[in-house]
């Protein structure tokens, strides 16, 4: 008899609904995880609104915290009952892309081993984790045991928000003494602030307009927070840096406006580190690009995954270097996930991230 | 009495004229170089056509090969009479930009030590080297002695073409076994081909339409040369790479079309290394950019300068690893430079580069 | 009934013998490869002589070229009958070490996921490939299909010699215009010469004393070859470089003498890239190390493996950039492998590498 | 008439004496700095004891904080009366070494532009700054203006201690989530702790035995501090890391014992970042080196200098990210410098660093 579980399913544009689905079968390399805590991501809202296409009937969600329910026959090194997380991105470990250091673009099984965004499987190409159970493919490359002294919420930001946000600083190559600007202080931008701080930036400038976010940004390491409604953020940043510009500008929203401002505040030789999911073509203004002669770089990064990444991020949580607890502003039972989508999708009540517990 | 010299001067749009000018005075950190060979760059044609603004009356040219005529009072380590080159870009060595590894964006004397393209002085912000003499600022950081066994023409490509072209491969991070596409096979693109070859790329695909250039590209290391008039170059490259795409795409022209094609042929996680001087805003198509999630990088590089760079490039010439002699297709006396501009500016007679000798 | 195969087995010090062994069983992640060509490595001679410890009864050999005989039940993306190679080092792809970019130190299954040299399994911790069949663990991370137009011998150097030798240049960070010295021109050193050439070194100095090796080195890109018996190699190299020293010195033997000389010829700020397998403690002389203040680096590299590495190396073979055919000087049937050990172990007849065919 | 100043001069082994010397003449590229605060370095004690050779009669000291008294005729971009620091290492900016990114090995004027430790001039090859005035060569590359709101003591650690200590973490390539061990917690080791913390290490283990130092280390970011007298530090660290070892081990003393321990606690693939000034040959034990097959790296770094480095370090001071004030434990007038040497040289009264004020 098929065992059933509850799962938040994309039914059609503007409808994600909690439904019954069969608990998945476990292949030799897989692990079945019983979800104990998960969350909703801004990308899930794009899916809800029909802005990012996924198949109807897919379970949404890509930030799993849980317990190993069942291990595939070929999986070694883990025990059932162990508390684990997996990244939002789950590289196979064995594709050409993975072995090339590009796990997020994993194309295991495809002709050349690369597939754009191929490492993003949960809630994108396979059933995700806003459910009672989730199946993790290539479990040995992806399951990362949670240290005993960390709670589910302690590590809830690791699978996506923290990994993505920190990567903004890492791909930007932040160095000791750098000045860094972060455009948009949603959960990703806030983690980018924390990541820049963690890597030694000494002047961090956040840009947003919502007072609660600006406050959290200061707590995570922003030295200055600029309200883009109070004046052109480019002018404000150039004034703050006394005309020099910034070494690294991190884009954390996914719009032409933030992208362009990020490019404009760069000093010659600086790096624009882009994290946002765009939904339109982008324009690079000739002057902001110094006609191609300014030694500027534009780098994009999809959330790094894999168990070593998760281990390191949990080390950050355990060390107390960064406190992301203030990001979890609301909590819901899985049964109430539709309400959680309503709150989070409409950005009410100062919500930053919600914790969902089956 | 002021000594006079001949110099190719920008008079107004579409007029560069050989005129008499005073031989410059030599400050304490300067060196006066008697030019023995120089050349005309595509950028000079932009200046001629009024597409890149310089002051009227400026001497044009940024690729000097010559002999030290006079050394500034504070310059040590050189002798008058020594054969030397200097790069097209002449970093001061002591600005914050230089000490940050960004010599091409040198802003010595400016508030923050960075100035976009500030390292490009000759024929841009100070008198250039299409003249009998040129003054080299910060001589100790820039003069690089020519090994005795190399002729002027042996090293004539070092100051700009070779340095820029090679940097396309270097900034792209070409690795052993990479597949590289080079868009446009003018002198810069040809040197990008040579640079990619020199760094270990094993499949190099050139894109152009002029048969002579395509032939030279093969000689310098291109494994495949594609005629963009024979079909969409993106499709041709995807077919050649069996659908995988390239690790590094080098843009060597400065147009939306080549920029966009370069982005489209990248494998996920690949790098677009841009060398062209653009004259319009650029568009990044959403799909070609994987909505910002493809781990793609866009890097731009202004010709690296300084005496260590020149020394290394002359080592390449001396080693015989790369033979750039076929690039010098025509020779003119300085007195005939206006004819040289006419030939080169109109790309007649299969011209690649001209040698100009005072 | 158990199927038997022939295998070269370490029996005891100074005895490697061809014996009958069962053809291995194939686990879910494994692949059974029928060996068509393999070779003997210097490390195998260390094992033969008892200088490197392995268990008695182990099949020796770590350089497999062959055909997929049988795939494990969980292996996808390959077909039985396909021609493949695997690296000497076979990372799992899913250990913490692998996901950290250290596949050669793979410790899949161990507590922390790192094990010194753990990626070296064939002929070290599991049965190797001097046999009719070899079992490849973690097949999806390691099997790399051979392009049709390449013969077994074309790719025979990829699994170890080429990967190790090239890594000497790669880990050394060889750049365009570098001067590189390679100490000892056995097969590894010869590939280090080829690797340095492939990455843009413009002055490559090989050091050995055997005329055949010195000749092959020239063919692979050495600009100078020094006979260490004709005078102190440090003095010879300092003279050749006019007192400057080298940017990168590659050690390819594994002795105090070559290690120390490599350190002494480095310019300040240079890198000693060490490939040799040492059998004694090493001494760093105070003066050669500038008392720790010379910005010198010592880096060691164990042969990089994995299917992407193998794919790239086969690309090098296919491109014709490097011709390693002259390295295969002798050929033997597997039945005659004891003779091959005798020839290779005693370095007779100018042997460089032998091809062994079951 | 020659103006005289007081200066701490090396007279002979075990004698550094305050003497009168002429105030130096100012060449075109120089700046004369009136010292307002300086300090004594462990290296100065090596000089005092005759363990590091300098010429008799040389003024000692290489950590200048002061005011521009007079600028050379060719120096632009500064004003007399400006408060500035210069690094302990003063690269010329224009040597081949500097343009190669190796300013500490600056050999301006020498044949090849490299000289081991050539960037260290003050108190080594030219008169240093334990005096009323110091002459800074290549002033434009080295003078870094002090922000108004920072006191002399706020920036006193920048020229050497902070730059060297931080470079231990930088050259080690510390990444977010790394485990780092620091061997010896003198001023350099303490700054290495702070640098590792600043770059994102999440487990930092300090090793020393003096309680005051261990306490300061905790304040600067050490998560664990080990007393090497309480048991073998290698065993203690392996236990703390649960057998894994560390990603980066920083050696900050200059002895065989600390060097060897640092090598032993590295995980496979880890980096030993060496800062100490050694006075004997070093031994690399075969097992600790995995016979050369462990992908281990040994990197050495001489204190990075130049005005951009100083600017960045003062940014760190200004940001409040790191508080090095507790390092200045004692203060002396220049007139009493012999007493300061006595205290510091004998490590009495829990001294870490002394401030010396003319």
């Amino acid at each position: 008899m098929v065992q059933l579980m509850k799962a938040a399913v994309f039914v059609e544009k503007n409808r994600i609904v909690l439904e019954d689905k069969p608990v998945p079968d476990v292949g030799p390399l897989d692990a079945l995880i019983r979800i104990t805590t998960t969350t909703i991501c801004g990308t899930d809202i794009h899916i809800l609104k029909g802005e990012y296409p996924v198949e109807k009937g897919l379970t949404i969600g890509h930030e799993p915290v849980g317990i190993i329910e069942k291990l595939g026959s070929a999986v070694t090194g883990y025990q059932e009952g162990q508390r684990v997380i997996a990244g939002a991105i789950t590289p196979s470990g064995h594709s050409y892309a993975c072995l090339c250091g590009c796990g997020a673009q994993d194309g295991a099984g495809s002709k050349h081993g690369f597939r754009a965004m191929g490492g993003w499987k949960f809630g994108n190409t396979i059933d995700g984790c806003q459910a009672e159970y989730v199946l993790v493919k290539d479990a040995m490359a992806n399951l990362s045991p949670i240290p005993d002294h960390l709670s589910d919420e302690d590590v809830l930001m690791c699978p996506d928000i923290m990994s993505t946000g920190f990567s903004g600083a890492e791909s930007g190559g932040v160095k000791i003494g750098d000045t860094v600007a972060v455009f948009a202080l949603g959960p990703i931008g806030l983690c980018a602030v924390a990541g820049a701080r963690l890597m030694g930036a000494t002047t961090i400038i956040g840009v947003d307009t919502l007072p609660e976010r600006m406050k959290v940004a200061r707590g995570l390491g922003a030295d200055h927070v600029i309200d883009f409604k109070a004046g052109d953020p480019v002018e404000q940043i150039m004034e703050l840096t006394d005309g020099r510009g910034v070494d690294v500008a991190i884009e954390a929203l996914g719009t032409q406006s933030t992208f362009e401002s990020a490019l404009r505040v760069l000093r010659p030789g600086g790096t624009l580190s882009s994290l946002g999911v765009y939904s339109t073509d982008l324009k690079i203004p000739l002057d902001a690009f110094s006609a191609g002669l300014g030694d500027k770089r534009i780098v994009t990064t999809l959330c790094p995954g894999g168990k070593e990444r998760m281990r390191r991020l949990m080390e950050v949580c355990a060390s107390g270097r960064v406190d992301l607890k203030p990001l979890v502003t609301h909590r819901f039972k899985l049964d109430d996930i539709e309400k959680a989508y309503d709150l989070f999708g409409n950005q009410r009540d100062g919500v930053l991230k919600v914790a969902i517990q089956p």
Side-chain angles (χ1 to χ4, degrees), chain A:
Chain A
M1 213 191 76
V2 173
Q3 197 192 340
L4 294 180
M5 66 173 187
K6 290 185 174 156
V9 169
F10 175 73
V11 176
E12 61 182 5
K13 189 173 163 176
N14 294 324
R15 282 192 65 210
I16 287 176
V17 172
L18 199 67
E19 293 188 352
D20 278 348
K21 283 187 118 172
V23 172
D25 290 335
V26 180
L29 290 171
D30 304 340
L32 183 69
I33 304 302
R34 179 162 61 80
I35 296 295
T36 53
T37 307
T38 186
T39 177
I40 301 176
C41 179
T43 311
D44 299 333
I45 303 300
H46 282 294
I47 291 172
L48 174 65
K49 295 185 177 169
E51 294 165 359
Y52 184 95
V54 301
E55 280 197 20
K56 291 179 182 184
L58 192 80
T59 304
I60 303 306
H62 50 260
E63 295 161 279
V65 181
I67 291 167
I68 299 176
E69 180 79 14
K70 191 168 161 48
L71 290 168
S73 57
V75 177
T76 56
Y78 298 89
Q79 293 84 45
E80 291 169 4
Q82 222 174 348
R83 292 176 67 222
V84 292
I85 60 169
I89 305 300
T90 48
S92 67
H94 55 70
S95 67
Y96 290 101
C98 290
L99 293 161
C100 204
C102 282
Q105 312 297 323
D106 176 48
S110 76
K111 197 168 178 184
H112 295 294
F114 283 90
R115 189 181 293 139
M117 294 170 269
W120 177 26
K121 294 161 194 168
F122 292 143
N124 182 30
T125 57
I126 66 172
D127 277 336
C129 52
Q130 290 167 9
E132 289 179 281
Y133 296 93
V134 69
L135 194 72
V136 179
K137 302 277 185 193
D138 301 301
M140 287 186 287
N142 288 293
L143 296 184
S144 203
I146 303 172
D148 286 342
H149 59 290
L150 294 179
S151 71
D152 278 21
E153 281 197 17
D154 283 335
V155 300
L156 181 58
M157 299 298 109
C158 297
D160 185 345
I161 296 310
M162 215 175 154
S163 187
T164 300
F166 283 14
S167 78
E170 293 165 313
S171 297
V174 169
K175 288 199 288 287
I176 291 177
D178 268 358
T179 297
V180 176
V182 179
F183 287 84
L185 300 172
I188 297 283
L190 289 169
C191 286
V193 166
R197 171 81 180 233
L198 206 49
M199 291 182 73
T202 45
T203 305
I204 301 174
I205 306 167
V207 183
D208 207 294
T209 192
L210 299 178
E212 316 85 57
R213 298 188 167 204
M214 296 166 82
K215 189 181 160 201
V216 177
R218 284 186 185 279
L220 289 170
D223 301 278
H224 307 276
V225 186
I226 280 174
D227 183 347
F228 64 80
K229 292 195 173 160
D232 177 5
V234 173
E235 282 174 23
Q236 290 186 71
I237 290 171
M238 294 315 280
E239 195 178 320
L240 265 174
T241 60
D242 205 17
R244 178 183 181 272
V246 307
D247 300 286
V248 179
I250 301 177
E251 199 286 339
L253 186 60
T255 68
Q256 173 63 34
S257 164
T258 45
F259 177 83
E260 185 171 332
S261 293
L263 196 60
R264 288 191 183 283
V265 300
L266 284 184
R267 67 157 170 85
T271 299
L272 191 176
S273 182
S274 168
L275 298 175
V277 185
Y278 300 93
S279 50
T280 64
D281 292 348
L282 290 171
K283 189 180 79 170
I284 300 180
L286 184 65
D287 62 332
F289 204 46
S290 306
L293 302 179
D295 283 320
K296 291 187 175 179
R297 281 172 294 274
I298 300 171
V299 301
T300 68
T301 317
L302 175 57
C303 176
K307 72 180 176 187
E308 166 69 1
R309 176 68 170 179
M310 292 304 114
R311 184 191 69 78
R312 284 179 170 263
L313 296 179
M314 289 190 288
E315 285 284 319
V316 174
C317 298
S319 73
R321 301 294 202 259
V322 173
D323 179 12
L324 296 177
K325 288 259 182 71
L327 266 63
V328 180
T329 51
H330 295 75
R331 286 160 192 84
F332 290 87
K333 288 281 152 198
L334 178 61
D335 287 337
D336 296 323
I337 194 165
E338 297 174 31
K339 288 182 198 163
Y341 265 101
D342 184 52
L343 174 89
F344 186 74
N346 293 295
Q347 293 291 311
R348 284 203 311 267
D349 294 349
V351 66
L352 282 167
K353 290 287 282 185
V354 300
I356 308 287
Q357 286 167 324

